[in-house]
Amino acid sequence: MRQEGRKEVIWAGGAESVGPSKDIRSVLDFLISAVINKIWMGAGRVLNFSIPRNDPKVTAIRNF
């Protein structure tokens, strides 16, 4: 694509926190974990799910 000069969207995704925290720093690790873990799921539809506070994947992101 780069050689042909095309700028085509291959994948786009987003995450939203609906919890009580207004400080993005306190939920960012959870949002990153959600996007990474669900990247291959639900093409074309919205996925809703919860991540436990003690999720080991979130801990791994925090320790990175």
Side-chain angles (χ1 to χ4, degrees):
M1 290 179 65
R2 199 175 286 160
Q3 291 173 348
E4 297 174 10
R6 293 188 310 173
K7 294 181 181 178
E8 185 177 331
V9 175
I10 303 297
W11 179 86
E16 179 180 352
S17 172
V18 294
S21 178
K22 294 182 182 179
D23 185 356
I24 189 73
R25 295 171 294 181
S26 67
V27 296
L28 189 57
D29 298 331
F30 291 91
L31 296 174
I32 292 169
S33 175
V35 170
I36 290 171
N37 290 321
K38 304 298 181 181
I39 192 171
W40 304 115
M41 297 177 65
R45 63 188 176 98
V46 174
L47 297 175
N48 294 310
F49 52 91
S50 298
I51 299 174
R53 288 190 180 273
N54 61 350
D55 188 302
K57 293 174 185 155
V58 174
T59 305
I61 291 169
R62 286 185 176 154
N63 294 332
F64 184 68

